[in-house]
Amino acid sequence: MLIDFRYKALDPIRSNANWVLRPLEYLMMTPRNIFEAGSEYLTTRGTLNKENQEMRARQAELSLLANQSEFLLIENQNLRQLMELQKQISFKTLPVEILFNPPNKVSQRIVINRGSNDGLKLGNPIANDSGILGQVVRLYERSAEVSLLEDRDFAVPVQVARNGLRAAVFGTGRGDPLELRYLPVASDLEVGDVLITSGIDGVYPPGFAVAVISRIERSADKNSSNVLCVPVAAVNRYRQALALLYDPQFDAKPSAAAATGSASPASMAPGRRQTRARGMQ
């Protein structure tokens, strides 16, 4: 050992032995290297799959948040429009929210979150910023059922905003257009005319938009007109609306302009100022 340490006598033998044994060492290390490489591959793949799943879940959450944000933005805009409508109304109103639409093939009704405990009464009209939605027909303590304009034989006294011609709008059933009845064939009607509440029944306050005339079929032989209309207030657009706590004994006070005849019915219509539907002029 002293001679090897001092004179490096065994270095050539060591080098040759290392050259001979190195392939055997690599061969014996191959199973371990394969196992480590496979374990690292599986670990990396599992980590990537987990991260991929987490990213997909996060993407779904962000998409849901974006949809909720858009929904809240639309809802906020609707609430602002209802607040503007409240400022134009001289009588009391009650904010309501549409809870659900009961499945019924015959009637067209919705359920709202206000009832008798909130001051709601049978017959109170329900409206949004576009116009009349319907009327309370069944009352509970904390909720109420509202019959919509499309409900069969649901009637609203109206007048044509353009010329003041009075008539009545009737519902014909789910999915069918409204009918404007009790008008002679020579009535001054045009497609696109806006129909507003006349207020003569003491239930609906005057001047609220109800429907727009979509088709007129005149029959000279029967001296009558078949007038079809579409509601201006879409119940499926928003969940918020207003209950109109209208009392004709106290709230039906004509303005000075109306008394002198200088104001037209359309100029007093809350939430809708034009006398013809947009896009139909």
Side-chain angles (χ1 to χ4, degrees):
M1 295 176 62
L2 182 62
I3 295 173
D4 179 52
F5 176 75
R6 189 174 183 85
Y7 298 103
K8 311 294 182 181
L10 298 179
D11 284 353
I13 298 175
R14 243 186 238 105
S15 177
N16 292 332
N18 184 41
W19 182 79
V20 173
L21 295 177
R22 181 58 61 84
L24 296 176
E25 181 182 357
Y26 283 146
L27 183 62
M28 295 178 65
M29 297 272 303
T30 298
R32 189 201 69 174
N33 294 336
I34 293 176
F35 176 77
E36 290 181 351
S39 177
E40 182 179 0
Y41 171 77
L42 294 177
T43 302
T44 304
R45 183 178 179 85
T47 303
L48 290 176
N49 288 336
K50 184 178 179 180
E51 291 179 354
N52 192 17
Q53 292 177 358
E54 291 177 354
M55 291 179 65
R56 288 183 178 179
R58 183 58 178 168
Q59 183 181 5
E61 291 177 0
L62 293 176
S63 177
L64 180 61
L65 289 175
N67 293 335
Q68 289 179 343
S69 176
E70 183 178 359
F71 171 76
L72 292 176
L73 181 63
I74 296 175
E75 190 176 57
N76 184 40
Q77 181 181 0
N78 180 43
L79 290 174
R80 289 179 181 274
Q81 293 172 344
L82 291 179
M83 291 177 63
E84 291 295 327
L85 177 60
Q86 282 183 306
K87 295 178 181 179
Q88 302 178 29
I89 299 175
S90 58
F91 49 86
K92 293 182 180 180
T93 59
L94 180 67
V96 300
E97 182 178 355
I98 300 173
L99 297 179
F100 58 92
N101 186 357
N104 193 326
K105 296 182 179 180
V106 179
S107 65
Q108 179 78 324
R109 296 185 179 183
I110 57 175
V111 176
I112 59 176
N113 66 337
R114 300 287 189 175
S116 58
N117 290 349
D118 303 297
L120 201 64
K121 297 180 181 179
L122 283 174
N124 283 150
I126 306 297
N128 60 16
D129 63 297
S130 298
I132 298 294
L133 285 172
Q135 184 182 23
V136 176
V137 293
R138 186 170 295 175
L139 192 62
Y140 306 99
E141 291 184 355
R142 300 184 181 276
S143 63
E145 288 188 16
V146 178
S147 182
L148 301 178
L149 294 176
E150 295 91 338
D151 203 1
R152 185 175 296 276
D153 294 330
F154 187 89
V156 181
V158 297
Q159 64 185 103
V160 180
R162 179 172 55 84
N163 53 23
L165 184 63
R166 291 181 180 177
V169 165
F170 285 81
T172 56
R174 181 186 295 268
D176 295 329
L178 309 178
E179 290 184 356
L180 187 65
R181 300 176 184 174
Y182 310 131
L183 287 174
V185 67
S187 300
D188 182 13
L189 297 175
E190 297 179 4
V191 173
D193 278 341
V194 177
L195 306 177
I196 61 176
T197 52
S198 61
I200 61 174
D201 59 343
V203 175
Y204 295 92
F208 276 78
V210 177
V212 177
I213 296 178
S214 58
R215 190 173 63 183
I216 302 176
E217 299 175 354
R218 303 183 189 273
S219 176
D221 297 337
K222 298 181 180 181
N223 193 27
S224 62
S225 300
N226 184 22
V227 183
L228 303 181
C229 315
V230 292
V232 297
V235 68
N236 296 324
R237 290 182 57 192
Y238 307 115
R239 296 186 61 181
Q240 288 74 27
L242 289 178
L244 308 180
L245 308 183
Y246 175 72
D247 189 342
Q249 295 181 357
F250 302 98
D251 301 321
K253 297 179 180 179
S255 62
T260 58
S262 59
S264 64
S267 65
M268 298 181 291
R272 182 174 290 269
R273 300 298 184 184
Q274 72 275 13
T275 60
R276 292 175 62 86
R278 296 187 181 95
M280 294 185 179
Q281 282 84 351

